[in-house]
Amino acid sequence: MVSLVTKRAQPSYFVPALEKGLDILEALANASIPQSLADLARTLNRTSSELFRMIDALEKRSYIFRDPVSGGYHLTLKLYELAHIHSPVDQLLRAADYPMRELSQNIHESCHLSLLSGSVLLVVAQAESSEPVRLSIEVGSRVAPLQTVSGKLLLAFLERDAQQRFLADDAVYAKLSGAGRKALHREFAIMRRDGWFMAESTRRIGLDISHIVGNPVVGVSAALGVPLLAGGANQGKEKSIIPALRQCAHQITDLLGVTRGV
């Protein structure tokens, strides 16, 4: 599935060797320079002897590589390669490329595509406007879903149980008052009805519009968003963009071979 909020199933089982290996991979992914065995032991609060055999296994399987000069370990591209075999995200990006560029040209605004990745909203694609003054959302940006229109839209289309689990662990939702939570769920209902949503940006002056892509019922969903610059060419006529946004979202969905959900 393209959009998937994963929560550990109950009961959970502890697999020490697997978790140790994943800890090493995550530590190397977060490090800006190669890490020695001693560095990893300090980071993971383990002894070098605990990690030695696992590091040896990961190196033999080509997940990590030992730099011959520094002696430090770093990740290879094997994880990247595995992540992109039959990746539904790759299919989504291929399907979205031309429609997004066409949309951006037609409405004179940049647009971007986002999906839920665990507890964050991840921007996976962008088509920049050709206008000299434009908004740009960096691909790879990770933000709290409830702080964005696209994030709210994707949460609105989660199955009820998945949505409740997500909100129960979300720091932004935890800070909302009772009235704020009721208002959010009213917005969710509107989003599910319409398939799109427009609201003031929480991070700048201006509006954001987003439309659902794919079909959440079958587990394939993303959000196609347009950030509108205050004082830009479309100020005062933001709703006129919605038909073009909807057409683009439907075109991407059709190219994915997925039945439209909305």
Side-chain angles (χ1 to χ4, degrees), residues 37-215:
L37 178 57
D39 292 332
L40 289 168
R42 282 193 296 271
T43 299
L44 300 176
N45 196 28
R46 294 177 181 270
T47 64
S48 295
S49 59
E50 282 183 282
L51 300 180
F52 178 79
R53 292 178 63 186
M54 182 60 67
I55 287 176
D56 182 62
L58 290 170
E59 186 177 16
K60 287 177 179 176
R61 296 290 294 268
S62 299
Y63 285 94
I64 64 176
F65 178 78
R66 185 174 182 269
D67 186 272
V69 178
S70 69
Y73 294 92
H74 62 80
L75 293 178
T76 67
L77 293 178
K78 185 165 184 177
L79 287 172
Y80 179 87
E81 178 184 0
L82 292 175
H84 287 77
I85 296 175
H86 308 302
S87 169
V89 176
D90 278 352
Q91 297 176 40
L92 174 65
L93 296 181
R94 285 194 294 270
D97 181 49
Y98 178 76
M100 287 179 63
R101 286 190 281 115
E102 186 176 46
L103 173 66
S104 178
Q105 181 179 0
N106 291 340
I107 66 175
H108 306 288
E109 301 281 0
S110 300
C111 61
H112 58 276
L113 197 68
S114 306
L115 52 84
L116 289 176
S117 177
S119 61
V120 299
L121 182 74
L122 176 66
V123 179
V124 296
Q126 179 188 219
E128 284 197 349
S129 166
S130 59
E131 296 296 307
V133 179
R134 59 185 180 269
L135 281 172
S136 179
I137 307 297
E138 183 178 2
V139 173
S141 297
R142 300 160 65 90
V143 294
L146 286 179
Q147 293 179 337
T148 69
V149 170
S150 291
K152 287 182 179 180
L153 184 67
L154 289 171
L155 290 175
F157 278 94
L158 286 180
E159 292 184 0
R160 184 175 179 82
D161 288 347
Q163 184 188 96
Q164 289 178 340
R165 289 196 300 271
F166 183 97
L167 295 177
D169 294 334
D170 186 76
V172 177
Y173 187 78
K175 294 178 181 178
L176 291 178
S177 64
R181 294 182 181 187
K182 289 180 181 178
L184 175 65
H185 286 282
R186 285 196 296 270
E187 289 181 343
F188 283 168
I190 294 171
M191 295 178 203
R192 289 192 298 270
R193 181 195 68 196
D194 297 341
W196 62 274
F197 196 65
M198 178 169 65
E200 293 282 346
S201 172
T202 61
R203 297 186 292 171
R204 53 163 226 288
I205 299 174
L207 294 172
D208 289 331
I209 313 175
S210 190
H211 197 289
I212 199 74
V213 171
N215 187 339

